[in-house]
Amino acid sequence: MSMLGISFLNSINAANNVLSPAEILDNLRAKVIEDLSQNKKSGASRDGMDISLAKINLNNKTLEWAGANNNLWVINTNGLTEIKADLQAVNYTENPIPFTNHQVQLNSEDKIYLFTDGFADQFGGPKGKKFMYKPFKELLLSIYDKLMEEQEDILKKHFQDWKGDLEQVDDVCIIGVRI
């Protein structure tokens, strides 16, 4: 599904590069539904994807963002601001709503984090439980002021230590952007 999504995103952006992130997700959903023949009557697979999509203008420090089940976090000295994603995947649904386009004014010290659910959903630790989002937030809050390369190393080590010998349950992608 990820490869198909990347292909669709490339074709959407090649056709029109002035779309907002929400419009891109709406177009992506339409392509997924059409190409996978998803509809109520067919009983076809409801394969889809969760996604977090950002468009950043570094000249005026503005962020446009839309998300399908994956939130966006902005961290600075004031703490963590969470921008909520729409609670729907990019796939067929009986009552789809257009994705919400969020606009955020950024500051020069902001760090933006987009991520999949793989880190928070990973089983591990002494009791073999999910890592969860609250500890994930706390971890990012404890390292956000470090160099991005250091953050990457810390996150990788923390994930591996948490997972231990257990199998990785999902893809893990964390994108951090320093403004």
Side-chain angles (χ1 to χ4, degrees), residues 1 5 8-9 12 21-22 24-33 36 38 46-53 66-69 86-93 99:
M1 194 65 202
F8 289 161
L9 285 169
I12 290 166
I24 292 170
L25 293 187
D26 290 333
N27 279 277
L28 180 59
R29 175 172 43 207
K31 286 182 109 20
V32 165
I33 291 168
L36 298 181
Q38 294 180 339
R46 296 259 175 120
D47 283 341
M49 66 185 82
D50 297 341
I51 187 170
S52 187
L53 188 63
N69 289 323
D86 290 306
L87 297 177
Q88 59 183 348
V90 175
N91 66 350
Y92 172 80
T93 182
F99 286 96

Side-chain angles (χ1 to χ4, degrees), residues 84-138:
K84 300 282 189 176
D86 290 306
L87 297 177
Q88 59 183 348
V90 175
N91 66 350
Y92 172 80
T93 182
E94 291 182 29
N95 299 307
I97 58 168
F99 286 96
T100 306
N101 201 62
H102 299 269
Q103 295 184 335
V104 179
Q105 184 63 53
L106 299 170
N107 297 307
S108 59
E109 294 304 313
D110 288 343
K111 281 75 175 186
I112 301 159
Y113 296 92
L114 301 96
F115 44 87
T116 63
D117 59 358
F119 201 104
D121 284 352
Q122 180 60 49
F123 291 98
K127 296 182 180 177
K129 302 284 186 183
K130 283 186 178 184
F131 189 76
M132 305 299 285
Y133 283 101
K134 184 177 180 190
F136 184 38
K137 285 179 184 179
E138 291 168 357

Side-chain angles (χ1 to χ4, degrees), residues 4-5 10 12 18 21 26 56 66 75 82 103 105 136 143 161:
L4 191 60
N10 286 335
I12 290 166
V18 294
D26 290 333
I56 302 170
I75 301 178
E82 183 170 40
Q103 295 184 335
Q105 184 63 53
F136 184 38
I143 65 170
D161 290 349

Side-chain angles (χ1 to χ4, degrees), residues 72-91:
L72 171 78
W73 294 343
V74 179
I75 301 178
N76 56 35
T77 55
N78 295 322
L80 184 147
T81 301
E82 183 170 40
I83 302 169
K84 300 282 189 176
D86 290 306
L87 297 177
Q88 59 183 348
V90 175
N91 66 350

Side-chain angles (χ1 to χ4, degrees), residues 4-21:
L4 191 60
I6 291 167
S7 175
F8 289 161
L9 285 169
N10 286 335
S11 69
I12 290 166
N13 284 320
N16 186 347
N17 65 359
V18 294
L19 295 175
S20 71

Side-chain angles (χ1 to χ4, degrees), residues 116-119 122 159 168 170-174:
T116 63
D117 59 358
F119 201 104
Q122 180 60 49
F159 182 81
Q168 185 170 330
D170 203 353
D171 65 311
V172 175
C173 181
I174 304 166

